[in-house]
Amino acid sequence: MSTEVRTDAGRLWSRLMDMAKVGATSGGGSNRQALSDDDQAGRDLFIEWVQQAGCSIELDGVGNLFARRSGTDPDAPPVVMGSHLDTQPTGGRFDGVYGVLGGLEVIEALNDASVSTRAPLEVAVWTNEEGSRFPVSMMGSAVWAGVSDLDSIRALTDRSGVTVGAELDRLGWSGTAAFGKPLSAYLELHIEQGPILEASGSSIGVVTGVQGIRWFEVTFEGFAAHAGTTPMDRRRDPARALADTLHGVYELAAADADRVRVTPAQFASEPASPNTVPSKVSFTVDMRHPDAAGLDRLEAALRSLVAEAADQHGCGHRIDVINDCAPVVFDPRCGGAVEAAARLCGFAFEHIGSGAGHDACHVAMRAPAGMIFIPCQDGLSHNEEESIEPDDAGRGADVLLHAALELAGVADDTANAGRTTEC
Ligand SMILES: [Zn+2]
């Protein structure tokens, strides 16, 4: 005999709406910037819910919060589900929040069905994923994974000079739980923040990885000259080198439109005068590719475009790498568990790469990790109008539930309750 275990989409939706009231904005979104009183109020609400669900709570030194439902094997590392509760200043109601409250819903569903797991289940709330108040995104998971060190993160300031450390201490978030503890697996449920699932009609994205990101600052040095008296062929004009480079950079993207993203931005010239040929032009280029070799090829192509353009127009040049995030490939076992859960539930799914960074990128450096996406309206995110369908929210939570059960294992005496024929 087998019993259905599934999440309660109505309960999940009403909690999403309750959380959205904390720091609600006039435009229908949420403003719970990291380590603010509203961020604290959001956590307090979450803590109330997880404690009612019988979970214990622990905090680490950068305020990452873990709510734990025990398993039957005390030696098994936990399967962790999570995301973030902080938002952009004019954030939506679902970015991050959905993954945290989806994890809570999984625990509630298992409580309702009296199913025990072999490995413990935890819901993680990572501190400052957004990086809008304190300018490091995915901050809490970076410290947890050992990518950033706690002392330098504590010294970061917001625009009014308040440090992360002062806020962690003020809010009582400087906990003692160990960073980087062993995990059986990590699953992050998230809205896609892009248009792919909505366009294809899939309910579930099995996320294969997160594309690599590399930022360059390019500088061309020419020679300042009078705009009216200097013949065109006697100029060393860095703006012309810029123009040739931009043309080539966009062609790189056009040649592989599915995988390559290029974004030239932050243009500056010196002297910034309308009637002087500039002596110097600088700009940034954000380049993205799902695999490391592809990102290296893009960099090599950019370097030769820049060198050629500088040579052509008699300019000097320089390229600095100012940010470099390696591509992440998620654990095939986690992806397999997500895919199997989507099949079990009968939901249309597809494999998808993430265009945005997530805490799962950092966690993946220390533990098997995977992500589940659901569609969001018009692919819109980091916007108060961010919107998802309640049914999609429920489907994503069901997939999280069954993937977590697969990875944590159902305890023998509750195996029948945990086994599901369909959902
Ligand atoms: Zn997010």
Side-chain angles (χ1 to χ4, degrees):
M1 197 192 120
S2 57
T3 311
E4 283 189 13
V5 187
R6 60 174 305 170
T7 59
D8 179 338
R11 177 172 52 198
L12 172 58
W13 190 259
S14 81
R15 284 192 170 146
L16 285 165
M17 296 305 105
D18 285 346
M19 185 60 78
K21 290 176 195 154
V22 182
T25 63
S26 56
S30 295
N31 177 6
R32 288 188 307 276
Q33 292 181 63
L35 295 156
S36 64
D37 289 344
D38 284 321
D39 195 13
Q40 168 82 72
R43 280 192 174 203
D44 285 346
L45 186 58
F46 173 74
I47 289 169
E48 189 185 314
W49 288 332
V50 287
Q51 286 181 335
Q52 280 164 10
C55 294
S56 57
I57 300 281
E58 65 175 24
L59 282 166
D60 68 19
V62 72
N64 296 319
L65 185 154
F66 301 88
R68 184 180 180 98
R69 181 183 193 259
S70 301
T72 55
D73 179 354
D75 299 325
V79 170
V80 178
M81 305 167 284
S83 198
H84 57 96
L85 289 175
D86 70 306
T87 72
Q88 292 283 321
T90 52
R93 296 170 294 169
F94 306 105
D95 175 4
V97 187
Y98 173 54
V100 172
L101 299 186
L104 167 61
E105 182 51 41
V106 165
I107 284 176
E108 295 272 23
L110 294 175
N111 287 348
D112 292 347
S114 304
V115 172
S116 302
T117 52
R118 188 183 64 77
L121 294 180
E122 293 188 6
V123 183
V125 183
W126 303 105
T127 302
N128 187 25
E129 192 277 345
E130 295 291 359
S132 53
R133 178 182 174 199
F134 296 100
V136 171
S137 59
M138 302 176 280
M139 183 187 90
S141 56
V143 176
W144 184 88
V147 175
S148 302
D149 83 284
L150 181 59
D151 288 343
S152 53
I153 289 295
R154 283 182 60 91
L156 278 176
T157 56
D158 69 6
R159 278 175 289 275
S160 58
V162 177
T163 63
V164 166
E167 289 294 65
L168 286 171
D169 296 344
R170 176 180 75 86
L171 297 169
W173 290 16
S174 300
T176 55
F179 294 125
K181 66 182 175 185
L183 312 184
S184 289
Y186 175 74
L187 292 172
E188 184 160 349
L189 175 65
H190 208 282
I191 63 170
E192 182 200 331
Q193 303 180 285
I196 295 169
L197 296 175
E198 185 181 50
S200 65
S202 297
S203 302
I204 298 294
V206 180
V207 186
T208 50
V210 181
Q211 63 187 344
I213 305 168
R214 210 168 286 171
W215 290 357
F216 304 91
E217 184 169 57
V218 179
T219 307
F220 288 115
E221 298 227 30
F223 193 74
H226 195 289
T229 59
T230 318
M232 296 304 285
D233 62 357
R234 296 190 57 166
R235 300 180 181 194
R236 289 164 49 203
D237 183 353
R240 299 195 68 169
L242 163 73
D244 288 1
T245 303
L246 291 187
H247 180 73
V249 162
Y250 288 119
E251 280 194 334
L252 292 173
D256 189 359
D258 284 345
R259 297 190 296 171
V260 173
R261 300 281 180 274
V262 296
T263 308
Q266 281 192 329
F267 304 94
S269 67
E270 285 175 29
S273 167
N275 55 355
T276 298
V277 175
S279 60
K280 187 164 130 182
V281 165
S282 66
F283 61 104
T284 58
V285 187
D286 171 316
M287 293 185 132
R288 303 188 185 212
H289 196 285
D291 67 66
L295 206 51
D296 289 344
R297 282 196 302 276
L298 285 176
E299 173 169 348
L302 174 68
R303 286 184 183 279
S304 67
L305 281 169
V306 166
E308 218 171 282
D311 199 40
Q312 180 76 24
H313 299 289
C315 296
H317 71 277
R318 170 190 171 116
I319 302 178
D320 295 307
V321 177
I322 54 174
N323 187 17
D324 191 3
C325 298
V328 175
V329 178
F330 286 132
D331 179 67
R333 205 173 135 251
C334 290
V338 171
E339 187 176 326
R343 277 186 208 284
L344 180 74
C345 295
F347 300 148
F349 68 90
E350 66 186 278
H351 294 98
I352 185 172
S354 174
H358 295 285
D359 290 309
C361 300
H362 288 143
V363 181
M365 300 169 83
R366 303 297 295 248
M371 291 192 74
I372 305 162
F373 279 173
I374 64 158
C376 60
Q377 193 185 319
D378 299 328
L380 190 66
S381 185
H382 286 195
N383 187 303
E384 292 163 286
E385 289 175 28
E386 188 180 84
S387 177
I388 61 175
E389 290 298 325
D391 286 350
D392 285 329
R395 290 186 193 105
D398 274 336
V399 169
L400 178 65
L401 165 68
H402 288 284
L405 278 180
E406 161 91 18
L407 293 165
V410 175
D412 287 345
D413 56 337
T414 60
N416 281 342
R419 198 172 293 128
T420 305
T421 47
E422 58 179 297
C423 35

